[in-house]
Amino acid sequence: MLFRSPFSDWPRLVKTLAVDGRAVVCISPGEPASCSVPAVGMDDEAAGFALTRHLIGLGHHRFGFIRGLAAHLAAERRFAGAWRALKEAGLESDAVVSCRGNFTFRSGTELLPVLIATRPRPTAILCANDDTAVGALFAAHRDGLQVPRDLSIASFDDTPVSALVWPPLTTVHQPIQEMSARAMQIIAGLRTGTAPPASTGSCEQLPFSIVERASVAQPVQR
């Protein structure tokens, strides 16, 4: 049995099913240390850090972040990584403004105007996932902003839609297929007795990468 977030963030549910004798593996648990079964994921905090560092390296110093649901711990770790990058770059707490969304296109369309209404206006928007970023991109076009000349937009997951919109999105590639394949290998090992016993926090992390596309550029000096 495979659990993705948010179900992989519910340790009581996962533990109950595992005790019943089912072979259980979690995919992308938000808190690997609390996971009582084998898990596969990526380092979401490091991904948030890397994407934000990439934007800082381009010259961005003012950010907007459309977050996901508070119960989605992996997305919260992405936001924490972004904060760490800002602090290490010496930026103050007012360098980022954030809104709470729910991973949907509608979140992006409704919350982008809120973020760009702040002064000074963010030059880069980070979104908790690609669907939200596509909504933010739509809102930018609707409001007469040119991406990336007026505003850079970046996100996470590298789902197919991220390469289909215009401009295509810079995003963190989450190795979803590799995670699923590895989780199935672990499931098979548990059923045949060839997998080692699960231990608390035994989360195997697969590498992520930043896919650079046309939605991000150096900020225009105003």
Side-chain angles (χ1 to χ4, degrees), residues 45 48-54 56 63 79-91:
E45 195 273 348
F49 177 84
L51 184 58
T52 306
R53 278 289 300 270
H54 174 65
I56 292 172
F63 296 84
F79 184 63
W83 265 113
R84 180 165 66 91
L86 295 173
K87 291 178 181 178
E88 290 194 10
L91 300 177

Side-chain angles (χ1 to χ4, degrees), residues 10-29:
W10 299 351
R12 182 176 297 180
L13 172 63
V14 171
K15 186 175 181 179
T16 298
L17 292 173
V19 168
D20 284 345
R22 295 177 177 87
V24 178
V25 176
C26 286
I27 298 178
S28 297

Side-chain angles (χ1 to χ4, degrees), residues 55 58-61 123-124 148-150 152 217-222:
L55 292 167
L58 290 173
H60 293 278
H61 298 106
T123 61
R149 191 196 69 177
D150 299 324
S152 288
Q218 295 179 335
V220 174
Q221 298 299 321
R222 300 183 184 280

Side-chain angles (χ1 to χ4, degrees), residues 52-189:
T52 306
R53 278 289 300 270
H54 174 65
L55 292 167
I56 292 172
L58 290 173
H60 293 278
H61 298 106
R62 178 72 177 171
F63 296 84
F65 203 113
I66 303 178
R67 304 169 70 174
L69 297 170
H72 196 295
L73 300 182
E76 290 298 278
R77 288 178 58 78
R78 294 172 181 179
F79 184 63
W83 265 113
R84 180 165 66 91
L86 295 173
K87 291 178 181 178
E88 290 194 10
L91 300 177
E92 301 295 332
S93 59
D94 61 358
V96 61
V97 290
S98 68
C99 294
R100 177 74 68 185
N102 60 1
F103 304 112
T104 62
F105 176 90
R106 185 173 181 176
S107 288
T109 61
E110 292 182 346
L111 296 178
L112 180 80
V114 175
L115 294 177
I116 63 175
T118 60
R119 294 293 181 268
R121 193 180 77 192
T123 61
I125 303 294
L126 291 90
C127 300
N129 70 338
D130 291 334
D131 284 350
T132 302
V134 172
L137 184 60
F138 173 85
H141 291 324
R142 179 193 63 199
D143 294 343
L145 297 174
Q146 293 190 29
V147 178
R149 191 196 69 177
D150 299 324
L151 187 70
S152 288
I153 298 177
S155 58
F156 297 85
D157 292 340
D158 192 27
T159 53
V161 69
S162 65
L164 300 177
V165 293
W166 183 259
L169 291 168
T170 289
T171 183
V172 171
H173 174 72
Q174 180 173 207
I176 297 173
Q177 293 183 345
E178 294 86 347
M179 289 178 189
S180 300
R182 178 59 185 143
M184 290 303 298
Q185 289 176 346
I186 296 173
I187 287 281

